[in-house]
Amino acid sequence: TVLSPREDLSTIPADGNLRGTEVAVGDLKVTPLKLPARDLVPSLALSGDGKWLFAAERRGMLHKIDTATYKRTQVADLGGVVW
């Protein structure tokens, strides 16, 4: 999965679908996510079972993304800056 720069999270569709257009890169299929890459903490976290991707913004917002549907299912305000 590759992150694409976005202006801000207000541009995320109301249904929460973050899936971009799939692209073939050699033998791989890459699916971009519509997230503000420049505002994200440099590393993402994948749940142990691979069902959830967690992305944190530097300003403290945490996004939970379903890896099967590419939909953002929850957003939590961590209450401040995240490094």
Side-chain angles (χ1 to χ4, degrees), residues 46-54 64-69:
L46 187 64
S47 65
D49 59 9
K51 292 182 180 181
W52 307 104
L53 178 67
F54 296 91
K64 182 179 180 184
I65 302 163
D66 183 324
T67 59
T69 64

Side-chain angles (χ1 to χ4, degrees), residues 2 4-5 12 25 36 44 50 52 72 79:
V2 176
S4 302
I12 290 177
V25 179
L44 304 175
W52 307 104
R72 182 179 62 179

Side-chain angles (χ1 to χ4, degrees), residues 4-75:
S4 302
R6 295 290 297 242
E7 284 303 310
D8 59 47
L9 292 175
S10 65
T11 59
I12 290 177
D15 68 358
N17 192 334
L18 302 175
R19 184 184 183 113
T21 303
E22 190 175 272
V23 178
V25 179
D27 293 340
L28 301 174
K29 292 181 183 177
V30 179
T31 304
L33 295 177
K34 299 173 187 176
L35 284 173
R38 68 177 180 195
D39 297 330
L40 295 178
V41 174
S43 59
L44 304 175
L46 187 64
S47 65
D49 59 9
K51 292 182 180 181
W52 307 104
L53 178 67
F54 296 91
E57 292 180 66
R58 295 183 194 280
R59 65 185 179 110
M61 300 302 287
L62 178 65
H63 304 271
K64 182 179 180 184
I65 302 163
D66 183 324
T67 59
T69 64
Y70 295 94
K71 289 190 177 184
R72 182 179 62 179
T73 60
Q74 290 181 313
V75 180

